[in-house]
Amino acid sequence: MDEDHGPSQIAPETAPRRTFGDRLQTVRKTFTTKEGLFGNYDYAFLFRPNLPFMKKVNKVPPFFGLNDRMPVFLALLLGFQHSLAMLAGVITPPIILSGAGGVNLSTAETQYLVSTALIVTGILSCIQITRFHIWKTPYYIGTGLISVVGVSFAIIPVAQGAFQQMYANGFCPSDEDGSPLPCPEGYGAILGTACVCALFEILLAFTPPRILLRIFPPLVTGPTVMLIGIKLIQSGFKNWAGGSGLCADKEPSAFFAKCPNINAPHALPWGSPEYLGLGLSVFVTIILCERFGAPIMKSTSVVWGLLTGCIIAAATGYFDRSSIDTSPAVSFIWVKTFPLSIYAPIVLPMIAVFIICATEAIGDITATCDVSRLEVSGPVYESRIQGGVLADGCIGVLAALCTITPMTTFAQNNGVIALTRCANRRAGYCCCLFLIIMGVFSKFAASLVAIPSSVIGGMTTFLFCAVAVSGISIIARGVPFNRRNRFILTAALALGYGATLVPNYFDHVFSYKGDNKSLQGFLDAISLIMETGFAVTAALAMLLNLTLPEELEDIPEAELVEGESRAVPAPVATASGSKDADRESDDMEKGKTA
C-alpha cells in the first residue's frame, strides 16, 4: 500500500485525536527508552564482512517503510551511511569546476564551494523528502521519498567547454604568457545562466510523464548519459596521472613542469608512477570493499577508497596542510559570492542539461519507489514523478542563487535503501543533517580540497565510469535492439563520439572576427553545442526517433493483424443483406440487454 492511501477498512477511523500530551509522551519514549533509542535491530548485519571463511547468516533484517517507526540510533546510523554514499558525488563537481580544469579559483573559494555544496545539498534534499502540496492544485513539490539531491555531473563538460571559450574570447583574463587567471565572473555566468534555464525544467514538470518519456525515451537519454560519463572520464584519468591543469600539457611552462606546480610538496612530473600508484590504491580499495566489505562498507566503498588514498598520501608526504590550518572554523552560504550574469552561448547546452536532469529524475524516482516497496504506476506514482521533476527545477534555481551549479536527484541512495532495507524518511532527514554539519564545519571541506589530485582522480574515474555504465543500463533496459533503433544509436553516437574525442574539430568553421557581439555570441553558441558530444547525440537521437517510422519487422505481429482487420472494407449491403444485418443487430442488442 502506498503511504498516500488510507487503510483498507469499511468502518470509519475511530481512534481519538492525539493531544499535545500524547505527542509529548511519544517523544519521551522515543528518546528515553531502549526500545525508542535502539530497538531490536540486528546492528551486526551492517558491520558483518563478507569473508570466505565466515559463516553466512540467512536471517533477513526487518524492512522499514516510508513512515514506519524506527529507533533513533538506527535512523542516525543509516542517515550517516546515506550521507557517506553521496559525499564523493557532491564534492567532485565544485572541486573540478573551481580548479585548474575550470575557472582557477583560489583555494579559499574552492573550500567555500565544497562547504556550500554540502550545506545546500542537505537543505534542498529536505524539499524532495518532505513533499509539499501546492494549495488548490493537484500538483506537488517533492517526492516524499528518500530522494536526495546532489550537484549534477552533466554540467561539468558543458561548463568546462564554456570556460575554455571564455578564456579564448577574453571574457576571462589570462596573463602575458596565456596562462589562465582566476575568473569568478565566468563561474557567476554559469550560475546566472543556470538560474534562468532551470525555469525550463519547471515547465517540463507540468507535462504528463508519459508525454515526457515519449519525447525523451531511453533511446535518447541512454546514449546521452553514457557520453557524459565518457567525456568526464578524460578529466578523472588526467587527475589520476597527476592533474588536469596546465601541468598535463605536452610542453608545460617552467612553473607547471611538475604537478600541480613546482611549489607543491613532493611535486612530480605528470604521469609519474608514484601518482599512478596513489590513484590505484583508491581504485583497488573500492574493489576490495565490494568483494569483502560489510553492507555499510559496500555502499560507501568510494569513501573508503578515498580514505585509503589519503592515508597513503599523508604518510608519503604528498599532503599540504597549510590550507587546512588557514581555513576558517565554520562556513555557510553566501560567505563568498560571484557576480551573476547570463552567458548567451551556453543557454542551449544548459537547457539540454536540465532536460537530462528531468529524465534522470524520472528514472531515479521510479527506482526509489521500487526499492521502497511503493507502487510504480497509477496516479500516486505519477504525482511523485511530477513533484520530483518540479522540485528538481526549483532546486536548480535555488542552488544557483546559493552559488552552486545545477543539482539533480541522486541514484546512489537507491543502493543503500536496497542494501539496508530502510526506506524510512527519518533516515533521509538524518542524512540531510549530517551533510549540513559536514558543510558548516569548513575544516572538513578544507581537508577534502587538500587531497592530492591523483587520489581524487582514482575516485572520480570510478564515479564517472559509473555514469557511463548508467547510460548503458538505460539503453539495455529500455531500448529493443531492432534495426531502426540500432540505426538511430549508430547515427547519434557517430557524431557524439567524434565531438567527444576530437572536441576542437569545429574551431575553424566560423571565421568571423568583427565587432558585432551579438553575432559573435550566436556563433560561439553554435560552436559550443557542436563541440559538446552529448548535446549533439541527444539532438540527433531525438530528431531521428520522432521522424523515422517503425518498420514492419519491428512491429509486433498482433498489432499488424489488428491493423489489417481495421483496414478491410465493409461489404456493400443489398436488400436481403440489410435485413440480415438488421436482424443481427437486433440479436446483439438483445444479448447486451440480457
Side-chain angles (χ1 to χ4, degrees):
M1 184 197 310
D2 197 282
E3 58 93 18
D4 285 342
H5 293 171
S8 300
Q9 58 183 17
I10 299 175
E13 182 66 48
T14 58
R17 188 173 182 179
R18 298 182 66 193
T19 64
F20 177 76
D22 295 333
R23 297 179 185 275
L24 197 63
Q25 185 73 4
T26 301
V27 172
R28 187 190 67 79
K29 289 182 178 180
T30 300
F31 289 98
T32 61
T33 64
K34 180 181 178 182
E35 182 67 22
L37 287 173
F38 299 101
N40 56 0
Y41 186 79
D42 182 16
Y43 290 93
F45 162 76
L46 292 175
F47 299 94
R48 188 179 294 117
N50 183 22
L51 299 177
F53 55 83
M54 290 188 66
K55 182 180 179 181
K56 294 186 178 180
V57 180
N58 295 324
K59 181 182 177 181
V60 179
F63 181 85
F64 290 94
L66 208 59
N67 295 313
D68 291 345
R69 290 186 179 181
M70 66 183 304
V72 175
F73 181 76
L74 182 62
L76 291 171
L77 181 62
L78 296 182
F80 185 62
Q81 185 178 4
H82 274 285
S83 65
L84 290 181
M86 58 190 301
L87 176 64
V90 172
I91 67 172
T92 297
I95 289 177
I96 291 177
L97 295 180
S98 62
V103 285
N104 302 278
L105 298 180
S106 66
T107 302
E109 289 172 320
T110 303
Q111 292 172 355
Y112 160 76
L113 288 178
V114 172
S115 288
T116 306
L118 293 168
I119 296 171
V120 172
T121 296
I123 295 174
L124 298 185
S125 291
C126 291
I127 297 176
Q128 282 284 28
I129 296 173
T130 303
R131 194 181 190 214
F132 302 94
H133 180 249
I134 302 177
W135 189 51
K136 290 188 177 181
T137 71
Y139 300 110
Y140 291 85
I141 299 178
T143 64
L145 310 169
I146 306 184
S147 298
V148 293
V149 300
V151 186
S152 174
F153 283 176
I155 188 59
I156 298 177
V158 172
Q160 286 181 325
F163 293 150
Q164 292 175 3
Q165 194 177 83
M166 290 176 184
Y167 280 110
N169 62 22
F171 187 94
C172 287
S174 301
D175 59 16
E176 295 179 354
D177 62 355
S179 299
L181 297 174
C183 185
E185 293 80 9
Y187 186 79
I190 297 294
L191 296 179
T193 308
C195 189
V196 174
C197 294
L199 300 176
F200 185 80
E201 186 177 4
I202 294 176
L203 294 178
L204 284 180
F206 298 100
T207 305
R210 60 183 181 275
I211 297 178
L212 200 62
L213 290 174
R214 184 177 180 181
I215 301 174
F216 308 108
L219 187 60
V220 175
T221 58
T224 303
V225 174
M226 183 180 68
L227 277 180
I228 290 173
I230 291 172
K231 174 64 176 178
L232 293 173
I233 289 172
Q234 180 185 20
S235 173
F237 219 61
K238 279 187 175 182
N239 276 319
W240 188 335
S244 59
L246 296 178
C247 69
D249 293 346
K250 291 183 178 179
E251 296 181 358
S253 61
F255 184 71
F256 294 104
K258 296 181 180 181
C259 287
N261 55 63
I262 58 176
N263 294 331
H266 213 303
L268 296 169
W270 186 86
S272 297
E274 292 88 344
Y275 285 150
L276 297 177
L278 277 177
L280 187 63
S281 68
V282 179
F283 198 81
V284 170
T285 302
I286 294 173
I287 296 174
L288 292 177
C289 286
E290 182 63 29
R291 172 59 184 89
F292 301 110
I296 199 168
M297 289 185 68
K298 286 185 178 181
S299 59
T300 57
S301 58
V302 175
V303 176
W304 288 103
L306 191 65
L307 182 61
T308 302
C310 289
I311 293 173
I312 296 174
T316 51
Y318 289 91
F319 245 107
D320 181 9
R321 58 169 297 158
S322 60
S323 59
I324 303 176
D325 296 335
T326 57
S327 66
V330 295
S331 179
F332 204 70
I333 308 169
W334 301 306
V335 170
K336 296 183 183 295
T337 56
F338 303 89
L340 297 181
S341 63
I342 296 178
Y343 186 64
I346 205 177
V347 169
L348 292 179
M350 189 70 75
I351 290 176
V353 168
F354 280 104
I355 291 174
I356 293 168
C357 289
T359 53
E360 280 184 338
I362 293 174
D364 293 341
I365 294 166
T366 303
T368 306
C369 288
D370 187 30
V371 297
S372 301
R373 300 186 181 182
L374 301 174
E375 36 184 74
V376 290
S377 62
V380 176
Y381 162 74
E382 291 188 358
S383 75
R384 293 194 190 280
I385 295 293
Q386 174 272 314
V389 175
L390 180 56
D392 233 33
C394 296
I395 286 170
V397 175
L398 295 174
L401 296 177
C402 294
T403 68
I404 297 299
T405 51
M407 309 185 87
T408 188
T409 307
F410 263 27
Q412 292 97 318
N413 299 74
N414 292 333
V416 179
I417 296 172
L419 198 64
T420 60
R421 300 170 61 83
C422 176
N424 196 278
R425 287 192 289 192
R426 290 187 182 180
Y429 289 126
C430 291
C431 168
C432 297
L433 174 64
F434 283 116
L435 289 170
I436 294 172
I437 292 173
M438 291 177 189
V440 168
F441 292 99
S442 56
K443 293 288 185 183
F444 179 75
S447 302
L448 296 174
V449 173
I451 296 175
S453 295
S454 52
V455 177
I456 292 287
M459 174 196 71
T460 54
T461 300
F462 182 87
L463 287 178
F464 295 155
C465 196
V467 175
V469 172
S470 176
I472 297 173
S473 175
I474 293 172
I475 298 173
R477 289 198 313 265
V479 180
F481 272 80
N482 51 43
R483 183 184 180 280
R484 173 183 178 271
N485 291 344
R486 289 198 304 270
F487 178 84
I488 293 174
L489 286 173
T490 302
L493 288 174
L495 294 181
Y497 270 125
T500 301
L501 298 174
V502 190
N504 58 347
Y505 79 103
F506 210 77
D507 285 352
H508 304 291
V509 173
F510 299 124
S511 57
Y512 178 76
K513 300 295 181 183
D515 297 330
N516 190 332
K517 292 186 177 181
S518 299
L519 177 59
Q520 187 64 56
F522 176 71
L523 298 179
D524 288 345
I526 295 176
S527 298
L528 189 59
I529 293 172
M530 296 304 296
E531 292 177 357
T532 305
F534 78 82
V536 176
T537 292
L540 187 56
M542 185 170 60
L543 177 64
L544 292 177
N545 183 59
L546 293 175
T547 55
L548 285 183
E550 294 278 354
E551 297 188 359
L552 290 180
E553 64 179 22
D554 299 333
I555 302 176
E557 186 176 352
E559 294 183 14
L560 283 176
V561 174
E562 184 181 353
E564 289 175 358
S565 64
R566 291 176 181 173
V568 175
V572 180
T574 60
S576 59
S578 62
K579 292 179 181 179
D580 293 337
D582 292 339
R583 190 180 300 113
E584 289 177 5
S585 64
D586 291 338
D587 293 339
M588 292 176 63
E589 289 295 326
K590 291 177 181 178
K592 290 180 180 178
T593 305

